[in-house]
Amino acid sequence: MDATDKGEIHIAGVNKVFGQGASAFHALTGIDLTIATGEFFTLLGPSGCGKTTLLRVIAGFEQPTSGSLRINGAEMAGLGPNRRPVNTVFQSYALFPHMTVAQNIGFGLKMLGKSRSEIEATTSDMLRLVRMEALAERRPSEISGGQQQRVALARALAPRPRVLLLDEPLSALDLKLRKEMQSELKRLQTETGITFVFVTHDQEEALTMSDRIAVMSAGRILQLGAPTDIYNAPVNRFVADFIGETNFLVLPVAQTGGAVARLTLPGGNCAEARLPEGMTPVTGTTVTAVIRPEQAAIVAPETGDLTARVESAVFFGTDTHLHLTLADGQPFVLRRQNRPDQQPPEPGAMLGLSLASGALRVLED
Amino acid sequence: MRGPLIRGNGWKWLLCAPALTVLLLAASGPLLIVLVYSFLSPGNMGGVVWEFSTEGWFRVFFRRDIFEPDLVTLNHAHLTVFWRSIWLSFQTTLICALLGFPTAWFIATRPPNTRTVWLFLITIPFWTNLLIRTFAIQEVIRNNGTINTVLLRLGVIDSPIQMMFTDFAVLLGMAYVFLPLMVLPLYAAMDKMDFRLVEAGYDLYASRLMVLWHVILPQVKPGFIAGSILVFIPAIGAYVTPRVLGGGRTMMLGNLIALQFGQGRNWPLGAALAMLMLIVVVGALIVYLRALGRMEGERRG
């Protein structure tokens, strides 16, 4: 077995261009990706970044302009969606309105030419899996959005695909239902062991559900990695900004050495910041450093790394966001967990900030 | 709940009175007159004599021997015309459906801004007088018309093919005239159709044919129903097309009725034929809709 056989999906050098000449739109540029069997893989990016196009290329609705796509070792070029071991959960669910819930779920099996008894058995298994047994004879128009969502899932899972593609399946649901479905999806993925490729623009959804995330922008994959890697070590400004909240600080370099640099903080103190691989900034120049809002703690004024003035405090329930101004005027957002015995600082108050070690990172330009 | 509401609006329906009057006079009135006429006796110079008679209805189905009025035989001429009208109208509907589906599909799958142009092209024939369009067809298929001239010149045939005054000519003419009536409702149904369902069908291992059968056709069924009704009903009463292209030999119901009110000078018979046509159309509609309902039931079951 060579390395390429271990993965479920192999994408190599895939480009997708819509239109021609001057009006050509490069939806995907140089996508290389290997998705492992049984992985919960997420394509994350803002709308128009190409994540849905990539999903459609995997499903077979779009043919790539160039590059190769292999699923379970087999080349997929020229195969239509009906000849790929892949099923899709559509954003709009796309349930057949003229069929009952049970008929919808059984449709794929029927098209595969399975026997009536096998279709019935699998359909009732699927109905149980998504807890929809009671509504099997309803039409899609007679059930709620969340129920339609579960039917769409069951319909796509019924033929036992090797890969399940999910195109923003939760975006039409309200917050509470979305949370429920997130854990439901995770449960289904663990129970079935099917490879999930999940498309979303919701970074929180991506962080909580995925084994690995590919952050996309303008048709390219910017960063590929586990949620913690992407959150803690964003490779560039776009990823840092898109995933979670981030403070960007422009700071002069005081000293460099190996993988870290000492940066001069507003107020004169110095702090160590990790450098991205291969970057050695010149002492005296300025770099952009990032730090997450929860990775700084409030200490007594003049005792921490930084001194900041409180501009406003926004209450978020579990925590409070403090909007601060540093000594040189740069803004800084601090997230502090709420406790009943603590009052948020008044606007105008001066605070000391202590940065968690390793929290400050320099970004590539 | 409903009581006070109705009492409160008790007289408001009178506002509909002008519309109701027009409907009553323009739609039900003439129909009633025809019904009454079908039970009267024919006048010598046309018109009716106010004398109750079932002779009109009798003559729809039977004929009396000229010399022996008691010798009654089936009126084969009338029955043939009836059968031909139903059969030709059915075929016309079928041809329109077969041609209309790909046409409507073609239009519905164009980019939105060019769809209007295609729809416009489909509706252009409506702007031309029906008679002129029918004579145009005649020009194409008559013995020294376009098709025969070309085929003769090319040496494909030695003598012209007789197309005029045949059922084929009537069928061709009607299919041409009524095609837009099938295309437009089909297009409307396809326009409303969710094309993502087609993708979902492909995704679930359906071949193109299976997607057409299991996903597209059930979605556009309302268009087919509306189109079939719009084509079948005017086809069964068609007058101009069978008159111009079918001549006297391939008469349809419309022509037979017109004949009774004209040269035939037998208004009660004409009126009875007209009423019968109404019954046939309504009956066909009921059978058609029932059959569709049954299919739906089987699908559900």
Side-chain angles (χ1 to χ4, degrees):
Chain A
M1 243 195 201
D2 65 281
T4 55
D5 285 336
K6 284 181 190 149
E8 189 69 70
I9 303 177
H10 274 278
I11 299 169
V14 161
N15 293 297
K16 177 70 190 173
V17 184
F18 291 106
Q20 281 175 337
S23 65
F25 173 68
H26 294 261
L28 295 175
T29 309
I31 303 289
D32 293 306
L33 194 57
T34 299
I35 299 172
T37 307
E39 192 173 20
F40 197 120
F41 191 89
T42 298
L43 299 170
L44 175 66
S47 56
C49 72
K51 57 191 192 298
T52 295
T53 307
L54 183 55
L55 198 77
R56 291 175 62 82
V57 165
I58 299 173
F61 297 125
E62 308 281 357
Q63 293 294 332
T65 310
S66 61
S68 101
L69 164 69
R70 295 202 287 163
I71 297 175
N72 192 32
E75 177 62 47
M76 288 292 129
L79 290 185
N82 56 337
R83 295 172 62 194
R84 299 186 181 200
V86 169
N87 287 130
T88 307
V89 177
F90 295 87
Q91 188 174 11
S92 60
Y93 314 146
L95 296 177
F96 304 121
H98 56 285
M99 296 182 197
T100 63
V101 164
Q103 284 169 335
N104 264 287
I105 294 173
F107 185 81
L109 296 163
K110 192 172 156 191
M111 290 300 115
L112 285 172
K114 302 289 183 201
S115 70
R116 186 179 276 259
S117 58
E118 191 184 340
I119 294 174
E120 274 170 19
T122 312
T123 302
S124 60
D125 280 353
M126 285 299 143
L127 283 167
R128 204 169 322 118
L129 190 68
V130 296
R131 299 175 187 134
M132 289 284 293
E133 300 104 311
L135 303 172
E137 294 310 312
R138 298 271 191 97
R139 300 270 164 150
S141 56
E142 296 163 349
I143 58 179
S144 73
Q147 290 165 340
Q148 288 181 19
Q149 167 66 71
R150 297 220 290 273
V151 175
L153 253 173
R155 184 179 71 172
L157 285 171
R160 292 262 149 202
R162 293 201 62 93
V163 180
L164 188 74
L165 307 176
L166 302 107
D167 185 9
E168 306 213 17
L170 308 180
S171 59
L173 304 178
D174 60 58
L175 185 67
K176 199 165 183 316
L177 206 53
R178 196 154 70 220
K179 295 280 179 215
E180 269 176 45
M181 282 307 295
Q182 283 178 8
S183 50
E184 183 95 357
L185 273 179
K186 198 67 188 163
R187 173 180 73 87
L188 286 174
Q189 199 254 338
T190 322
E191 278 180 28
T192 57
I194 291 172
T195 309
F196 275 35
V197 181
F198 187 85
V199 158
T200 185
H201 63 263
D202 183 335
Q203 44 102 7
E204 197 185 308
E205 209 167 86
L207 291 175
T208 52
M209 298 170 76
S210 320
D211 294 325
R212 278 197 304 157
I213 298 173
V215 184
M216 293 184 69
S217 173
R220 293 170 194 274
I221 293 177
L222 299 181
Q223 190 171 4
L224 185 66
T228 46
D229 293 344
I230 288 185
Y231 187 79
N232 291 330
V235 291
N236 62 21
R237 192 183 182 97
F238 179 87
V239 177
D241 202 20
F242 192 74
I243 311 284
E245 281 170 82
T246 302
N247 291 301
F248 293 95
L249 300 173
V250 178
L251 302 172
V253 179
Q255 191 188 334
T256 55
V260 291
R262 285 188 74 77
L263 307 180
T264 311
L265 298 172
N269 290 332
C270 279
E272 270 192 358
R274 279 185 288 167
L275 286 171
E277 224 169 291
M279 184 177 168
T280 38
V282 181
T283 307
T285 57
T286 59
V287 292
T288 303
V290 286
I291 178 166
R292 298 286 182 187
E294 72 279 8
Q295 291 170 349
I298 298 175
V299 292
E302 311 298 334
T303 60
D305 300 310
L306 287 162
T307 305
R309 190 161 58 90
V310 178
E311 297 297 332
S312 63
V314 183
F315 181 69
F316 271 86
T318 56
D319 45 29
T320 297
H321 290 196
L322 298 173
H323 292 262
L324 312 172
T325 307
L326 301 181
D328 64 350
Q330 293 196 61
F332 191 97
V333 176
L334 179 86
R335 187 189 286 186
R336 189 179 68 156
Q337 196 161 18
N338 285 328
R339 273 187 267 155
D341 56 343
Q342 276 184 345
Q343 286 298 311
E346 292 295 314
M350 297 303 286
L351 303 174
L353 299 180
S354 159
L355 307 183
S357 87
L360 200 61
R361 302 183 67 92
V362 176
L363 281 186
E364 270 176 286
D365 298 316
Chain B
M1 260 324 264
R2 288 185 63 182
L5 204 73
I6 287 171
R7 222 173 298 146
N9 291 311
W11 295 100
K12 285 193 179 165
W13 69 271
L14 273 178
L15 289 172
C16 298
L20 288 175
T21 313
V22 169
L23 266 179
L24 210 66
L25 291 180
S28 323
L31 209 60
L32 213 64
I33 293 172
V34 173
L35 182 65
V36 169
Y37 274 24
S38 72
F39 287 105
L40 297 177
S41 303
N44 284 336
M45 307 296 287
V48 286
V49 177
W50 281 87
E51 205 173 275
F52 179 79
S53 161
T54 53
E55 194 65 17
W57 282 95
F58 183 81
R59 286 198 174 216
V60 168
F61 301 103
F62 306 104
R63 62 193 306 169
R64 290 179 198 283
D65 195 87
I66 298 175
F67 305 108
E68 292 271 355
D70 290 338
L71 191 65
V72 173
T73 52
L74 270 180
N75 193 334
H76 288 289
H78 287 181
L79 295 178
T80 310
V81 169
F82 257 106
W83 172 243
R84 181 187 292 126
S85 296
I86 294 169
W87 180 230
L88 282 179
S89 306
F90 176 74
Q91 289 182 86
T92 304
T93 312
L94 204 67
I95 292 171
C96 285
L98 289 178
L99 294 178
F101 183 83
T103 313
W105 184 262
F106 173 82
I107 299 173
T109 49
R110 291 311 98 189
N113 50 336
T114 51
R115 269 182 232 169
T116 342
V117 178
W118 290 106
L119 280 178
F120 174 74
L121 288 176
I122 285 284
T123 48
I124 274 188
F126 279 135
W127 304 5
T128 319
N129 185 289
L130 173 62
L131 206 56
I132 294 170
R133 279 186 285 157
T134 314
F135 274 112
I137 291 272
Q138 192 184 46
E139 187 54 37
V140 173
I141 62 169
R142 69 196 164 95
N143 281 4
N144 49 359
T146 319
I147 291 179
N148 276 319
T149 312
V150 170
L151 289 181
L152 280 171
R153 289 256 171 88
L154 290 174
V156 180
I157 48 171
D158 297 328
S159 56
I161 305 168
Q162 176 67 42
M163 286 183 281
M164 277 299 289
F165 313 122
T166 60
D167 283 358
F168 165 76
V170 178
L171 206 54
L172 179 72
M174 291 208 297
Y176 165 63
V177 168
F178 294 131
L179 187 60
L181 297 178
M182 181 64 87
V183 172
L184 293 177
L186 270 180
Y187 166 78
M190 286 173 188
D191 195 42
K192 268 192 291 179
M193 199 183 90
D194 187 350
F195 275 83
R196 286 170 297 197
L197 296 178
V198 175
E199 285 194 344
Y202 279 134
D203 187 61
L204 292 162
Y205 312 108
S207 62
R208 279 166 184 276
L209 202 66
M210 287 292 121
V211 167
L212 179 69
W213 184 251
H214 288 291
V215 180
I216 298 170
L217 286 183
Q219 296 292 303
V220 299
K221 202 170 73 179
F224 266 118
I225 295 173
S228 306
I229 292 170
L230 283 177
V231 171
F232 184 80
I233 292 176
I236 208 164
Y239 175 75
V240 171
T241 313
R243 180 74 200 263
V244 174
L245 299 175
R249 277 202 260 169
T250 31
M251 212 184 257
M252 282 178 68
L253 258 175
N255 311 93
L256 185 62
I257 293 167
L259 191 67
Q260 300 313 323
F261 281 98
Q263 292 145 290
R265 272 184 267 158
N266 193 341
W267 286 27
L269 175 56
L273 283 168
M275 290 315 292
L276 195 68
M277 191 176 103
L278 184 73
I279 293 165
V280 165
V281 166
V282 171
L285 267 183
I286 289 171
V287 169
Y288 180 57
L289 293 175
R290 280 249 177 96
L292 280 173
R294 213 168 30 244
M295 262 170 60
E296 182 77 358
E298 275 163 17
R299 230 181 246 284
R300 258 174 187 270

